[in-house]
Amino acid sequence: MIMATIEYRKLFRANVCVMVKYKSLAQPKIEGATFSKNLSSTGLSVIIKERFKEGDGIVLEIFLSEKDKPIISKSKIVWQRLCTYIPKSQLRYYSTGIHFVQMSSQDAIKTSDFITDVLRRQKENEDKAIIDKIESLKF
């Protein structure tokens, strides 16, 4: 029997992989680039090499598309968890939850619209997959 899971987040989160550049606000300056695991209107989850403390400030550039300017957000680290997978490089990575603290209203609207569009397309793809399975049934 498959059990449904309950989503406790206040806002929808889209599983989407977009490029994210980051810079720490504190010294020593840490900066890098990565990709998102998921994105909501209030935050995102990424995997990064650097270890941060909960509450550390960070500035993000989120590239929702290759043609548009990135979304800019002053943010803070909410949590980090060491990833169990160790690549050939032997580097350790951290799954990291980041909360958006400050973002322009235009960027907030772009982010919300992007998430809505991604979720709509994902739902359409799920529906299509089920309909295609139904259509292939032989009675």
Side-chain angles (χ1 to χ4, degrees):
M1 172 185 244
I2 297 174
M3 299 294 291
T5 59
I6 298 172
E7 178 62 63
Y8 292 101
R9 292 185 178 107
K10 292 179 184 176
L11 297 170
F12 290 109
R13 192 165 287 257
N15 293 325
V16 62
C17 184
V18 297
M19 188 166 83
V20 179
K21 291 184 179 180
Y22 55 93
K23 293 180 187 175
S24 65
L25 293 174
Q27 296 294 334
K29 290 290 185 190
I30 298 170
E31 61 182 87
T34 188
F35 295 91
S36 64
K37 292 171 55 178
N38 57 52
L39 174 67
S40 79
S41 295
T42 60
L44 55 71
S45 177
V46 296
I47 294 179
I48 58 177
K49 295 182 263 187
E50 296 82 12
R51 181 78 173 126
F52 286 94
K53 292 183 189 121
E54 186 177 313
D56 280 353
I58 192 168
V59 175
L60 303 176
E61 290 182 70
I62 306 163
F63 295 82
L64 300 179
S65 75
E66 292 180 13
K67 61 182 170 113
D68 295 327
K69 291 183 195 176
I71 302 300
I72 308 294
S73 173
K74 286 186 181 175
S75 304
K76 71 176 180 177
I77 304 295
V78 179
W79 57 265
Q80 268 196 319
R81 183 185 75 244
L82 183 65
C83 295
T84 56
Y85 173 71
I86 302 172
K88 291 179 184 177
S89 68
Q90 296 297 306
L91 291 173
R92 297 309 308 256
Y93 289 85
Y94 298 89
S95 184
T96 305
I98 301 173
H99 176 72
F100 303 146
V101 175
Q102 184 180 4
M103 179 185 287
S104 75
S105 56
Q106 295 90 350
D107 283 353
I109 291 167
K110 279 185 194 176
T111 302
S112 180
D113 289 348
F114 177 81
I115 292 163
T116 300
D117 187 50
V118 167
L119 291 173
R120 181 189 51 77
R121 282 185 276 129
Q122 288 174 349
K123 169 115 177 57
E124 287 173 357
N125 288 337
E126 290 170 359
D127 291 352
K128 179 188 177 303
I130 291 172
I131 290 169
D132 287 346
K133 283 185 181 216
I134 293 168
E135 291 281 317
S136 71
L137 288 175
K138 306 277 191 236
F139 290 102

